[in-house]
Amino acid sequence: MKTLTLNDGGRLPVLGLGTWQMGGGRSRDYSRDEEMTALIRDAIEMGYTHIDTAELYGVGHCEELVGRAMQDFAREEIFLTTKVLADNLRYDDLLRALDGSLERLQTDFADMYLIHWPNPEVPLEETFRALNRVAAEGRVKRIGVSNFDVALLRQAQELCETPVVTDQVRYNLYTREPEQNGLLRYCQENSIVLTAYSPLKDGVMQNETVQAVARKHGATAAQVAVRWLTRQPQVVTIPMSTNRDHMRQNIEALTLALDEEDVQRLNQVSN
Ligand SMILES: NC(=O)c1ccc[n+]([C@@H]2O[C@H](COP(=O)([O-])OP(=O)(O)OC[C@H]3O[C@@H](n4cnc5c(N)ncnc54)[C@H](OP(=O)(O)O)[C@@H]3O)[C@@H](O)[C@H]2O)c1
């Protein structure tokens, strides 16, 4: 799998496995545990060594499933990202939240730990006091943020004792906010990875232009949407799929040769 070099020298696979809805959404779903664990295991074998989860997903159950699936692999083979809830950004709450995540994930450390959403009620200084501590302890290898605009990201950079490695935001062919609000350019100019979530949502796969470009290359619309993101400097993406064929197609998309004309057309796409 192709990787990007992070601003701390680490390497991040440009495609990660999204896991929202595995093990439940906003409540725990235990009904498909074996199926989901096997699915995550197969994904890792297929090349999804970068996994994106969060304490939010399935109220922690998703982390449990990821933790189980990871047991069959050497820990260093996996780049594991998890996220702390906006409700857990107070100093003590964050320390407790990380303990819970690591226990569920059956590991001593997260490769990347993100603030899932900003919380205006908690001073960022307090959150970063806790984050800097867990990073110094080695329980978190890197710190990142999610759903931060440029102003907040700058504040995070000032407070973080290690480089802020990523901002994870919604970005796809229809949701162009990171282009419009300057976040994409800021990340590219400051060696921060923009992790694009929901790369296939908002109806992008139904778009006629996307489908036409896909036909031209004998590819699928999903593959075009994934490639359009990963061809951009400093951008990685984390599509979620519970379908092994789709997972494979998303990996194959990384080698799709979009030409300049395709890119021009895709850049014009709007919903
Ligand atoms: N930081 C945040 O606030 C935040 C917010 C949202 C999401 N995320 C993360 O980002 C991940 C991805 O976002 P998402 O789950 O919202 O949306 P997504 O990955 O854009 O879309 C998921 C949907 O796409 C389908 N799909 C995947 N690959 C496909 C393919 N090759 N062909 C056709 N359909 C395909 C999946 O169905 P099948 O299962 O049938 O393939 C699923 O219904 C999440 O799982 C989560 O880890 C983070």
Side-chain angles (χ1 to χ4, degrees):
M1 172 85 63
K2 194 180 156 225
T3 58
L4 277 191
T5 302
L6 296 167
N7 54 14
D8 70 347
R11 298 192 75 87
L12 179 68
V14 295
L15 199 67
L17 181 70
T19 60
W20 167 241
Q21 298 293 350
M22 294 185 191
R26 293 191 182 268
S27 61
R28 296 191 180 98
D29 176 1
Y30 295 100
S31 66
R32 299 168 71 192
D33 280 7
E34 276 185 31
E35 183 192 340
M36 287 299 143
T37 309
L39 183 84
I40 299 166
R41 208 179 279 130
D42 286 355
I44 297 170
E45 247 158 34
M46 221 181 267
Y48 284 93
T49 54
H50 164 193
I51 302 176
D52 179 84
T53 186
E55 61 169 332
L56 173 77
Y57 304 169
V59 196
H61 190 46
C62 181
E63 289 180 326
E64 288 172 343
L65 298 179
V66 169
R68 278 178 219 168
M70 281 183 5
Q71 295 314 303
D72 290 351
F73 302 88
R75 179 65 186 84
E76 61 271 18
E77 275 181 47
I78 304 199
F79 192 107
L80 178 63
T81 299
T82 193
K83 316 184 195 82
V84 56
L85 272 176
D87 287 343
N88 283 334
L89 298 185
R90 293 266 173 211
Y91 186 83
D92 289 332
D93 292 340
L94 187 144
L95 298 183
R96 250 193 310 272
L98 179 64
D99 285 345
S101 285
L102 295 183
E103 193 179 329
R104 288 187 292 272
L105 289 161
Q106 300 185 52
T107 183
D108 298 333
F109 66 93
D111 293 278
M112 199 147 79
Y113 197 45
L114 312 185
I115 299 176
H116 204 148
W117 283 88
N119 180 347
E121 286 171 20
V122 182
L124 214 46
E125 289 79 0
E126 179 173 345
T127 307
F128 270 93
R129 256 196 318 118
L131 283 172
N132 288 330
R133 172 177 162 174
V134 293
E137 289 169 348
R139 298 199 299 146
V140 160
K141 298 292 176 204
R142 300 169 186 86
I143 294 168
V145 296
S146 178
N147 301 300
F148 275 37
D149 61 17
V150 173
L152 267 180
L153 176 56
R154 279 177 184 275
Q155 279 183 42
Q157 285 179 288
E158 275 166 27
L159 295 166
C160 196
E161 290 168 0
T162 53
V164 174
V165 289
T166 195
D167 193 352
Q168 182 178 126
V169 293
R170 194 179 188 101
Y171 183 35
N172 62 43
L173 278 158
Y174 276 166
T175 301
R176 300 293 187 91
E177 213 180 315
E179 294 170 12
Q180 291 147 1
N181 65 15
L183 182 72
L184 176 63
R185 185 187 296 178
Y186 184 79
C187 287
Q188 289 171 334
E189 289 176 354
N190 291 278
S191 305
I192 294 169
V193 168
L194 188 146
T195 303
Y197 73 67
S198 302
L200 304 172
K201 287 269 175 81
D202 307 327
V204 298
M205 292 186 279
Q206 282 72 50
N207 180 275
E208 280 181 18
T209 304
V210 180
Q211 291 182 348
V213 172
R215 272 194 303 277
K216 174 177 156 186
H217 291 278
T220 68
Q223 289 179 310
V224 169
V226 165
R227 186 64 186 130
W228 177 80
L229 287 165
T230 62
R231 63 170 290 288
Q232 302 188 49
Q234 291 299 118
V235 176
V236 307
T237 189
I238 48 172
M240 192 287 298
S241 178
T242 52
N243 175 316
R244 288 168 176 78
D245 290 335
H246 289 169
M247 285 178 174
R248 222 166 273 119
Q249 287 167 16
N250 295 344
I251 290 184
E252 286 164 7
L254 300 180
T255 51
L256 186 61
L258 295 179
D259 60 33
E260 214 29 63
E261 185 203 346
D262 301 329
V263 173
Q264 294 290 341
R265 289 174 75 192
L266 292 168
N267 285 346
Q268 309 294 322
V269 161
S270 62
N271 60 351

